[in-house]
Amino acid sequence: MSAPPRPRILDALGEELVRAAREYEANHDNKLGGARRGPFGRWTAGRGNPRSRSGGAAWRPVVIAVALLLLLAAIAVAATLVIGRGDPIPAPPAGAVPLELQPVAGTARLNGLDVADPDGGPAWDVRTSRSRSGAVCVTVGQVLDGTLGIVGLDRRFRALPAGAADTCSVPQPTGATVAAARELRGGGSGSAVHAVTVVDGVVAPGVRSAVAYAGTERRALKIGPDGAFLAVFAGVPEQLRPRVALTGAGGRTTVLRFADTGEYLAQDPSGGTPWTIRAVTGDAPAGRRCVVAQREAGPDSPPPLPPGGPLPTNVGSQPSVPIRCGLPGTAFLDVRRFVPRFTTRSRGSSWDLHPARTITWGAAPDARSVVTIAVAGGPARRVAVDPRSLGFLMVYDGQVDPAAVRVTVDGRVIAPRGAGVVDGDGRPVARLPIPPWRSVASAVAAIRLPGAFRAVASSVALPRTAADPTGGPRWALRAFTGRETSQRGKTTTYRCFQIGLPGPGGALREPLVGGGAGRALALTFTDAAQCTPTRASTAAPPAPVVRTSVRDPEAAEPHVARVVVAGQLGPGVRRATLTGLPGGPRRLKLGRGGTYLMVLGPEAAGRALRVRAGGAAVVSKAANAFLAPAACRLVPGAYATIADPDGAAPWVSGSSGTGARRCSFVGQLVDRRLAVVDQGDGTLRPGPYSYARGSRHLGQTGAAAHVDLEVEGTDDPATPGLKPATVSRAQIARRTLPGRTFVSGYVSDDVVALTLRTPRDVRTIRPAGGTFLAIYDGRFYGGEVVATARLRDGRTVTVRRPVS
């Protein structure tokens, strides 16, 4: 977001006050017979009436008072211009929040922490409360005029609901009852602060001090009356790797890590996601030890491509450098410049379209070795040695010349690719020429993909249109022929169609969530609703494409607006029927190429619609039938519900079954049915977001105590170079991140409490009905999720899941 214009009211008022004061002095100087200021600001009389001296002094306090009042008024007006007031953020519906997350009225209070905002907005604080189940609840926000809320991306302050909390946790005897490191988008005022990381929580009664670390910062934290602590840092968790050290009365210290597993880290020169170095064991040549460096996953890695640019299939990989190996007890290293490039095949290590970097990596004889690195005769800098891999790493901007890098280990200069240095296959490392520096933009400009999809201009037509029975604008179907050439030169021809709102000159535009037309749909494979090879031959016709639109996709209880059904059966089809409708089958009106388009009311939502072509008994597959088996359904008491971070339809995680078939699922709850709402385009997809077949070992006790843990996330709605990021109204108000991450699972009946440790927070919950669910905005880029279950007999069961 661009920075809003700086309010000039204070400058203007200040100039006016100075002008008025000077005019007042000049006028009264003449009236007072030459009265003037002395060297220390005191008034001295002129040659006129002696009484004029006291008369001038009497007016001065009045001028000062008026000036102060005007200044205070200007400050108040300026503050109003900078931070406006928005509607309060609504509380989630009662059914979307379990008892353990529902604060009891009258138990909430601010802890008076008053932590400064990195962007100059209102100070931050923590509101603590108690839930209906006795859990400790935490809500973090900014305080304006005694009200807890949040300054949105539009610079408007919105109060947070008193009946909701960020998270709740069962009270713990030691360490922290609850702790979190949450990222909030934007800086509110649009300054250089693009995001903030809020580290907060509540400590156990015995904790006496708390210290937060983030990047190179260290902050001693104030502990509030309810044990709350808080720190706000500029940046994102993946870059800052925050952690909190809690020290009890006996001197014992507990360290809580977020987005950080304690691995070796080296900073990236851009200040973004750091790098790490790891030991390579399984693929190491005999008698050698090996290390490999790789950048950690993060929101700025890999970089997005320019709008409209191509999307290479392997651009999503993290940049890594080749494996380097040497003899045990010796020092070895390599120094190389890596520049952005694109290849259709990645072999082991890949750089792709990442910014150019000059990297020094290797290993020392032992963890106590002293490693220093200097560039071009500059001062030597000591580099830490990873005690686990004995590796070391330094990352520079790619414009640093590798030949100018000088490395010493225990006082001895080590030559890159020296004697005994081999690659991962045991071969001596070749002395490769240093590639010239290049930018990502220059690499993107050089990409020429052979398999480009091209639409045949003469084939474009709008064979079908349909009125909207709910009163919306008319819809249209656009059909065209496209050709794609493979890398081997083979051309495939497709029949494609799109659906949207018609525009002038045969244009087709994407429908907007609130009605009307948005961006123009391009004649591409990506923007097409369906593309079928012309040579494809199947016994059944293609399944219809169904677009179910909702009027209020950001609401906690969205409602279906209309259902659009479209398809293309091919030029040889003359008759077709749509089945599965509430009123029985309906004959389809076919256009050119066997195209059809229907706009139906909300009653058609969630139906298993099929197409019967040519009057034959063979019908298409049901639309959306691939989403989940019939066993996936809501069973009372067998699923957990939790509110969406943006206030949209709540999410559920549960288990169900039909006969011997079992299903576990995650999805949203819409009209008491499983569905998923896309807030970006305002569409609804029936069925769960994800599911898995099989038993979940529910109801087992004793020796068969079981904890099943799943970690998954939604796709980021913004695809680099293909689909730009969109920010919803809820994300503007709450500053939440796109996408979702779910931590869900099932436990046996003898689990009385479950502690979840994620890259985002630490909390202890009581599973209900053998299931649990935690949801986070954004995604986890690394680390692991640990679930520790406490059983009735005092034993514990721990399950770990890496974040992919």
Side-chain angles (χ1 to χ4, degrees):
M1 294 181 61
S2 60
R6 180 175 180 261
R8 300 186 57 82
I9 187 169
L10 293 179
D11 297 336
L13 280 174
E15 294 171 0
E16 180 63 19
L17 287 173
V18 171
R19 185 201 63 76
R22 288 176 177 173
E23 182 179 350
Y24 178 88
E25 288 181 21
N27 292 340
H28 283 71
D29 189 53
N30 295 331
K31 292 179 180 179
L32 298 177
R36 62 189 185 278
R37 287 183 185 270
F40 300 102
R42 296 188 179 94
W43 286 88
T44 59
R47 295 180 180 177
N49 189 341
R51 293 177 59 185
S52 65
R53 174 179 176 184
S54 61
W59 275 101
R60 179 167 172 73
V62 176
V63 174
I64 295 175
V66 172
L68 288 175
L69 288 175
L70 288 174
L71 182 60
L72 291 174
I75 292 174
V77 173
T80 303
L81 290 176
V82 174
I83 301 177
R85 290 276 188 169
D87 294 333
I89 294 175
V97 182
L99 288 177
E100 65 179 16
L101 294 178
Q102 295 181 18
V104 177
T107 64
R109 69 168 174 173
L110 297 174
N111 275 248
L113 301 179
D114 297 329
V115 176
D117 180 42
D119 200 38
W124 293 77
D125 200 359
V126 172
R127 184 175 67 198
T128 52
S129 57
R130 291 277 176 173
S131 78
R132 298 182 183 277
S133 64
V136 174
C137 297
V138 173
T139 306
V140 66
Q142 295 169 274
V143 180
L144 185 63
D145 296 334
T147 301
L148 187 73
I150 191 76
V151 176
L153 300 179
D154 56 358
R155 201 58 181 172
R156 289 183 176 274
F157 178 87
R158 297 172 177 85
L160 292 169
D166 294 341
T167 187
C168 301
S169 175
V170 175
Q172 297 298 297
T174 60
T177 287
V178 60
R182 178 186 175 193
E183 175 187 349
L184 296 177
R185 276 202 299 193
S189 69
S191 69
V193 179
H194 297 293
V196 296
T197 295
V198 180
V199 180
D200 68 284
V202 172
V203 299
V207 173
R208 294 293 178 264
S209 65
V211 179
Y213 301 85
T216 58
E217 293 189 66
R218 177 189 183 277
R219 296 185 189 175
L221 304 181
K222 176 183 176 181
I223 298 179
D226 289 340
F229 62 87
L230 175 66
V232 183
F233 300 93
V236 301
E238 288 76 20
Q239 299 169 357
L240 299 173
R241 302 301 172 106
R243 59 192 187 277
V244 177
L246 305 176
T247 303
R252 180 180 177 183
T253 299
T254 301
V255 178
L256 305 175
R257 298 179 179 273
F258 307 97
D260 174 24
T261 58
E263 69 270 33
Y264 178 94
L265 295 178
Q267 298 301 314
D268 185 82
S270 69
T273 308
W275 295 68
T276 190
I277 193 163
R278 296 184 177 92
V280 179
T281 55
D283 297 330
R288 308 277 180 157
R289 60 191 182 101
C290 306
V291 292
V292 63
Q294 185 175 16
R295 193 177 188 191
E296 296 284 272
D300 61 339
S301 175
L305 300 183
L311 184 67
T313 56
N314 60 338
V315 74
S317 61
Q318 298 302 314
S320 61
V321 301
I323 296 174
R324 289 294 176 258
C325 309
L327 294 172
T330 64
F332 59 89
L333 66 93
D334 199 353
V335 183
R336 284 185 57 182
R337 171 187 285 157
F338 299 88
V339 298
R341 63 185 177 87
F342 171 70
T343 59
T344 56
R345 296 180 180 178
S346 293
R347 298 179 178 177
S349 61
S350 172
W351 199 258
D352 296 327
L353 298 178
H354 299 273
R357 294 288 182 262
T358 295
I359 300 180
T360 300
W361 78 105
D366 60 55
R368 295 169 295 181
S369 295
V370 177
V371 179
T372 64
I373 302 179
V375 177
R381 177 181 174 184
R382 183 167 179 175
V383 180
V385 176
D386 179 19
R388 288 175 288 192
S389 66
L390 302 184
F392 57 85
L393 173 67
M394 180 65 75
V395 183
Y396 297 99
D397 183 271
Q399 301 197 52
V400 172
D401 186 359
V405 178
R406 181 175 179 269
V407 180
T408 67
V409 178
D410 295 329
R412 184 168 62 91
V413 177
I414 305 298
R417 301 173 298 276
V421 181
V422 298
D423 61 17
D425 295 326
R427 298 171 298 191
V429 178
R431 294 182 178 272
L432 301 176
I434 299 174
W437 178 90
R438 67 186 304 191
S439 66
V440 173
S442 64
V444 171
I447 293 176
R448 295 293 183 268
L449 296 179
F453 180 89
R454 301 180 306 278
V456 179
S458 60
S459 68
V460 181
L462 257 68
R464 299 300 303 163
T465 63
D468 186 348
T470 65
R474 194 173 187 85
W475 285 68
L477 179 146
R478 181 167 66 180
F480 63 94
T481 300
R483 294 192 177 99
E484 185 177 36
T485 303
S486 68
Q487 297 178 21
R488 297 183 178 181
K490 180 181 178 181
T491 300
T492 303
T493 303
Y494 295 90
R495 286 192 300 267
C496 302
F497 74 89
Q498 304 162 305
I499 53 176
L501 305 182
L508 201 66
R509 305 192 72 85
E510 189 176 45
L512 292 176
V513 173
R519 70 178 184 91
L521 295 173
L523 296 170
T524 62
F525 197 96
T526 304
D527 274 357
Q530 188 180 87
C531 287
T532 305
T534 54
R535 294 184 179 181
S537 59
T538 59
V545 170
V546 178
R547 178 189 174 103
T548 303
S549 302
V550 293
R551 290 193 298 269
D552 40 11
E554 296 182 13
E557 297 176 320
H559 302 285
V560 175
R562 68 190 58 83
V563 178
V564 181
V565 184
Q568 188 173 27
L569 302 175
V573 180
R574 298 290 180 266
R575 186 175 58 173
T577 303
L578 183 66
T579 67
L581 295 173
R586 290 178 59 177
R587 184 167 180 176
L588 295 170
K589 295 180 180 180
L590 301 181
R592 170 183 165 183
T595 54
Y596 60 90
L597 175 67
M598 295 180 66
V599 183
L600 307 170
E603 69 279 357
R607 297 279 179 168
L609 303 180
R610 294 179 170 87
V611 171
R612 178 183 288 112
V618 179
V619 297
S620 70
K621 292 182 178 179
N624 300 323
F626 64 93
L627 292 177
C632 293
R633 55 191 176 86
L634 293 173
V635 177
Y639 63 88
T641 307
I642 196 167
D644 181 79
D646 285 341
W651 291 83
V652 295
S653 171
S655 177
S656 59
T658 301
R661 297 181 178 179
R662 302 288 304 177
C663 172
S664 60
F665 54 82
V666 170
Q668 285 181 283
L669 189 60
V670 180
D671 290 334
R672 294 178 299 223
R673 291 186 293 183
L674 283 172
V676 177
V677 179
D678 188 330
Q679 296 184 34
D681 59 14
T683 60
L684 177 144
R685 189 189 71 186
Y689 169 76
S690 64
Y691 71 94
R693 295 182 175 91
S695 173
R696 285 298 185 180
H697 306 283
L698 295 178
Q700 297 185 7
T701 59
H706 180 81
V707 177
D708 185 71
L709 176 66
E710 297 291 339
V711 182
E712 59 182 323
T714 63
D715 296 330
D716 189 331
T719 303
L722 192 64
K723 186 177 180 181
T726 57
V727 183
S728 66
R729 290 173 299 178
Q731 291 172 344
I732 291 174
R734 303 169 187 247
R735 294 167 62 175
T736 49
L737 307 178
R740 296 288 179 268
T741 299
F742 312 105
V743 177
S744 61
Y746 306 85
V747 297
S748 52
D749 292 342
D750 52 356
V751 174
V752 295
L754 185 72
T755 298
L756 294 176
R757 296 181 180 272
T758 74
R760 193 76 65 81
D761 68 0
V762 179
R763 67 177 79 171
T764 301
I765 60 177
R766 292 188 178 94
T771 185
F772 62 90
L773 173 64
I775 185 171
Y776 306 86
D777 61 308
R779 57 171 294 193
F780 297 161
Y781 290 96
E784 64 178 358
V785 174
V786 182
T788 301
R790 183 163 57 88
L791 310 181
R792 286 192 180 90
D793 60 7
R795 293 181 299 143
T796 60
V797 176
T798 299
V799 176
R800 300 176 182 269
R801 290 288 182 271
V803 175
S804 58

